[in-house]
Amino acid sequence: MSALIEVKHLKKYFKTATGMLHAVDDVTFSIPKGQTLGVVGESGCGKSTLGRTVLGLLDSTDGEIYFEGENITNVSHEKFHDLRRKMQIIFQDPYSSLNPRMSVGDIIAEPLQIFNLCPDKAEREQKVKELMDVVGLDQRFINSYPHELDGGRRQRIGIARALSLDPKFIVCDEPVSALDVSIQAQILNLMQDLQEQKGLTYMFITHNLSVVKHISDNIMVMYLGQMVELCGAKELFANNLHPYTKALLSAIPHPSIREKHERIILKGEISSPINPKPGCRFAARCNYATEECFKRDPELRECTPGHFVACHNVEAING
Ligand code: SF4
């Protein structure tokens, strides 16, 4: 299957008062058309910065980004404007990402106006109503304001707005994290249905592994700006190989009280992403760290077909 998105050795650094913050550091992956890449990791691991850099909302420091085979790294303002139609984002907090002074209808119609896609007002209103139907938002809310609706309905507005330009690729940045669990399931089902109907490609960013399990084809685990493990979603849950992934997965609440479930508690300080020292960034918290881990960066290696891990001791750890 051909890749819609290809990212090669992408870096995004920020200058700070104390040095260079390596928010995204040498990340490489691709997403085939119509598939979902889940991106997981703790807060501050660089996953949201990665999504925004791929979308061109942040300029990259180094590396390349391809969309449908074309290099779109740091493109011109005009080109970026065209790309914006094809590449959209859904934000975490549907309340703060929506303009409180605009009605639901105006919020959904705004991208159509910016791109001059439906200049006729009646036609535009019809398109907005169609989009509300697509995302399961009752048309009676067209003149309501975001604060009058619950979190699930507000996120449906965000999704309708993202869909209004008929995109091919959507970065979903923690799209259900601010919602109640029952509403989360509804929004996830909606996103999966839309993906099937419209052939959408998603990059689904979350800190919640149980959410990403059901929606992803592949999952990338990030730690302090770097990719530490990448493989199929089922493979990650059945046969995770990196010590950090094991700790993350062990933190998922287990439904069965009969099954023994040992949580791995990470100890030690999180290393600083500012001017990071050579060596594995997880070393200070890793139970398996050896001398080499503090001296040399682990390379990302394909341990089994399609399963990539960055760890010096992966074989020894996994027998
Ligand atoms: Fe742990 Fe070393 Fe592997 Fe890093 S490279 S995860 S410190 S064993």
Side-chain angles (χ1 to χ4, degrees), residues 234-275:
K234 282 191 188 136
E235 168 77 357
L236 192 88
F237 282 83
N239 187 31
N240 43 83
L241 300 176
H242 194 281
Y244 176 61
T245 311
K246 290 177 189 295
L248 268 188
L249 284 167
S250 79
I252 299 177
H254 221 260
S256 166
I257 50 168
R258 288 200 189 93
E259 271 180 55
K260 202 168 169 232
H261 178 71
E262 197 180 325
R263 177 152 186 203
I264 302 168
I265 307 288
L266 292 176
K267 297 185 184 118
E269 285 281 305
I270 300 179
S271 313
S272 171
I274 297 174
N275 299 336

Side-chain angles (χ1 to χ4, degrees), residues 242-244 280-283 286 288-290 293 298 310-314 317:
H242 194 281
Y244 176 61
C280 175
R281 292 188 191 171
F282 187 58
C286 181
Y288 306 94
T290 51
C293 303
C311 173
H312 292 307
N313 302 322
V314 64
I317 293 166

Side-chain angles (χ1 to χ4, degrees), residues 157-192:
I157 302 170
I159 295 171
R161 187 181 157 93
L163 291 177
S164 64
L165 298 174
D166 216 5
K168 295 185 175 180
F169 175 57
I170 302 182
V171 171
C172 313
D173 190 359
E174 302 268 13
V176 296
S177 302
L179 306 176
D180 292 344
V181 176
S182 60
I183 309 290
Q184 283 186 8
Q186 289 175 20
I187 296 294
L188 288 173
N189 288 340
L190 169 66
M191 292 179 70
Q192 279 181 310

Side-chain angles (χ1 to χ4, degrees), residues 67-242:
F67 178 75
E68 294 184 311
E70 187 187 348
N71 190 337
I72 59 160
T73 322
N74 299 338
V75 291
S76 67
H77 186 72
E78 292 75 36
K79 179 73 185 165
F80 179 75
H81 187 72
D82 290 347
L83 281 169
R84 180 57 48 240
R85 278 187 64 179
K86 298 178 187 163
M87 303 166 77
Q88 287 287 309
I89 185 165
I90 299 170
F91 294 98
Q92 171 180 2
D93 184 346
Y95 192 61
S96 62
S97 63
L98 303 176
N99 187 335
R101 283 185 284 278
M102 288 172 78
S103 69
V104 170
D106 287 345
I107 290 170
I108 299 171
E110 191 180 37
L112 298 168
Q113 285 179 295
I114 292 170
F115 283 87
N116 205 22
L117 291 182
C118 282
D120 180 70
K121 196 168 177 256
E123 202 186 317
R124 198 162 59 237
E125 191 172 316
Q126 185 52 37
K127 173 83 178 164
V128 167
K129 286 180 177 169
E130 283 169 21
L131 284 162
M132 291 178 77
D133 287 344
V134 166
V135 301
L137 191 61
D138 199 306
Q139 290 183 13
R140 73 191 151 98
F141 295 119
I142 195 163
N143 294 316
S144 303
Y145 287 84
H147 72 270
E148 296 173 303
L149 306 181
D150 60 36
R153 290 195 176 104
R154 287 200 291 260
Q155 194 54 293
R156 286 176 197 268
I157 302 170
I159 295 171
R161 187 181 157 93
L163 291 177
S164 64
L165 298 174
D166 216 5
K168 295 185 175 180
F169 175 57
I170 302 182
V171 171
C172 313
D173 190 359
E174 302 268 13
V176 296
S177 302
L179 306 176
D180 292 344
V181 176
S182 60
I183 309 290
Q184 283 186 8
Q186 289 175 20
I187 296 294
L188 288 173
N189 288 340
L190 169 66
M191 292 179 70
Q192 279 181 310
D193 290 347
L194 291 171
Q195 182 171 44
E196 267 179 43
Q197 289 161 19
K198 295 174 179 293
L200 294 167
T201 304
Y202 292 145
M203 182 171 169
F204 195 99
I205 297 165
T206 181
H207 64 278
N208 187 335
L209 270 158
S210 22
V211 163
V212 87
K213 180 180 183 181
H214 299 290
I215 198 159
S216 304
D217 295 284
N218 291 297
I219 298 180
M220 174 203 295
V221 182
M222 285 186 75
Y223 187 79
L224 281 185
Q226 295 183 319
M227 178 161 77
V228 296
E229 187 155 7
L230 171 70
C231 62
K234 282 191 188 136
E235 168 77 357
L236 192 88
F237 282 83
N239 187 31
N240 43 83
L241 300 176
H242 194 281

